[in-house]
Amino acid sequence: GKLRGFTQVTRDATERMRHQESLRKSEERYRRLVELCPDALMVLREGQIVFVNTASERLLGAHESEQLLGKTFLDFIVPDLREAVAHRLHETNERNSARPWKNNGAPRFTEEHLVRLDGVEISVEMAATRLTYEDEPGVQVILHDITGQKAAAAALRESEARKTAIFETSLDAIVSIDRRGIVREWNSAAQRIFGYSREAALGQRLETLIVPGNLTEKYLPGLADYLMTGVASLIGRPIEVMAKRQNGEEFPIELALTQINLSEQTTFTAFIRDITDRKRAEEALRHSEARKTAVLDTALDAIISIEKDGKVIEWNPAAEHIFGYSRELALGRD
């Protein structure tokens, strides 16, 4: 009779099984690694989010990964930037190898703006790389939150702008010097008061610019030492001294010194006010008082000053002679 039988084809699947096991272990290591990553890391497939780490949930304001999985990543990009980000992701996905999106050999981060689930806009640095995830091609996106960094930078710029505005509009001269007394900053008021331009003053010793010649020896070995160190330290103690202008004119100033301790060096800022007009006014007042006293004391007539309520506030020698009351007894009487 006819013989019946069958043919058996056997294929060795050892390598395939090993590959699958290796891939499974690789996926597990990937998940463990990215969970420890402090930056947000997510995987996209055809623009949809298929994996997120814990940092991604924090960044986008999600309480659990299910709030993000399956969502379109571009929906989290601010509308004005979606087209540009979509182009970058498409460019990454079209690459024919799993090389990172590179720039000079390193992943290229670009600044982007995202909108969290709660509607708050945040700033991030973003980079994308191509990878295989669960046997399928995808794009891995790394997001580094720079919202706080940008806020701090903006606050610093605002602070610097305010400082510059104060520095340049101050009516007082503001001069910064180092421990050697070398001028490091010289504002517009300093230029106006002393006559030296900022370019001419920077790098010069302060005493050579403002100390009158007859006082030079007093400040040796340097004005900086006199102002800052030892028993003569004037930090926190405003003083009135004579200074000189570029044309040699001497005039009175009020000087106050503050110390600023930086990480690298200590600097000092001097606030200097030209008090020429104030001194003239004080001198004029003294002369006026002296003239008034001379008139009161030498007048032959009684001169009496009283307040609205009739109380005596001035009683000259002639009033003492005419009425018999001494000045001490009369003052404050009705």
Side-chain angles (χ1 to χ4, degrees):
K2 293 181 179 181
L3 295 175
R4 294 176 178 270
F6 64 90
T7 301
Q8 179 177 325
V9 179
T10 303
R11 178 178 294 170
D12 186 351
T14 303
E15 288 301 321
R16 189 183 70 184
M17 296 297 290
R18 286 176 179 171
H19 175 71
Q20 290 177 344
E21 179 64 16
S22 175
L23 183 61
R24 184 185 64 79
K25 290 182 178 180
S26 176
E27 295 286 354
E28 290 179 357
R29 286 196 298 270
Y30 173 80
R31 289 176 179 272
R32 288 197 299 268
L33 178 63
V34 298
E35 281 302 323
L36 297 174
C37 180
D39 288 330
L41 192 151
M42 57 184 65
V43 177
L44 312 181
R45 187 176 293 138
E46 296 182 355
Q48 306 297 308
I49 301 174
V50 296
F51 173 80
V52 294
N53 67 347
T54 303
S56 297
E57 298 172 22
R58 290 196 302 268
L59 179 69
L60 296 177
H63 301 297
E64 54 187 5
S65 61
E66 284 69 22
Q67 292 179 273
L68 302 175
L69 296 178
K71 297 289 181 64
T72 301
F73 175 69
L74 289 179
D75 289 344
F76 292 98
I77 304 295
V78 295
D80 292 346
L81 299 178
R82 285 176 187 170
E83 184 177 350
V85 172
H87 175 73
R88 293 179 191 134
L89 293 176
H90 176 74
E91 183 185 54
T92 302
N93 196 43
E94 288 298 309
R95 292 180 182 274
N96 56 14
S97 70
R99 294 181 304 163
W101 186 7
K102 292 188 176 183
N103 179 26
N104 296 330
R108 182 165 67 93
F109 282 83
T110 59
E111 184 178 326
E112 309 295 349
H113 299 279
L114 278 65
V115 180
R116 291 163 40 103
L117 290 175
D118 57 9
V120 175
E121 186 174 318
I122 57 176
S123 300
V124 300
E125 289 181 334
M126 186 184 92
T129 60
R130 179 173 170 163
L131 85 168
T132 298
Y133 179 77
E134 295 181 347
D135 294 331
E136 297 288 340
V139 174
Q140 176 181 267
V141 176
I142 302 173
L143 303 170
H144 176 63
D145 188 1
I146 59 172
T147 307
Q149 176 183 330
K150 287 184 68 65
L156 179 61
R157 287 194 299 270
E158 184 178 345
S159 174
E160 289 296 324
R162 286 197 301 268
K163 184 188 76 171
T164 300
I166 293 172
F167 185 80
E168 289 303 325
T169 59
S170 172
L171 297 178
D172 295 335
I174 302 177
V175 180
S176 292
I177 57 177
D178 61 20
R179 292 204 67 89
R180 296 175 300 157
I182 302 299
V183 175
R184 299 304 180 191
E185 197 51 81
W186 185 268
N187 76 336
S188 299
Q191 297 182 57
R192 173 176 51 79
I193 292 173
F194 293 103
Y196 296 97
S197 68
R198 184 173 183 272
E199 292 71 21
L202 295 183
Q204 301 295 317
R205 294 187 66 88
L206 184 60
E207 61 260 37
T208 64
L209 299 177
I210 73 171
V211 176
N214 62 332
L215 295 178
T216 301
E217 292 185 3
K218 178 179 179 180
Y219 293 114
L220 292 177
L223 178 63
D225 292 332
Y226 180 82
L227 295 177
M228 305 172 201
T229 63
V231 295
S233 173
L234 298 176
I235 295 176
R237 295 194 296 127
I239 61 167
E240 293 183 7
V241 293
M242 293 300 293
K244 71 169 183 178
R245 307 187 202 275
Q246 186 181 28
N247 61 9
E249 176 192 353
E250 296 185 12
F251 66 104
I253 62 170
E254 185 176 72
L255 182 147
L257 196 69
T258 61
Q259 179 174 328
I260 303 174
N261 295 314
L262 301 176
S263 57
E264 298 180 356
Q265 61 180 354
T266 299
T267 61
F268 302 85
T269 298
F271 298 88
I272 303 171
R273 176 172 299 175
D274 184 346
I275 58 174
T276 303
D277 291 341
R278 190 178 80 189
K279 286 295 184 182
R280 287 173 180 168
E282 290 174 355
E283 185 66 18
L285 180 61
R286 282 196 297 272
H287 289 165
S288 175
E289 290 295 326
R291 286 195 298 270
K292 186 188 78 170
T293 300
V295 170
L296 287 173
D297 288 346
T298 59
L300 297 178
D301 298 329
I303 300 177
I304 302 171
S305 296
I306 59 174
E307 292 181 329
K308 289 182 179 180
D309 61 0
K311 294 293 188 299
V312 174
I313 58 174
E314 190 54 74
W315 186 269
N316 75 332
E320 293 181 325
H321 175 72
I322 293 173
F323 296 103
Y325 295 96
S326 68
R327 186 171 185 275
E328 291 73 19
L329 289 174
L331 292 182
R333 298 285 293 277
D334 191 343

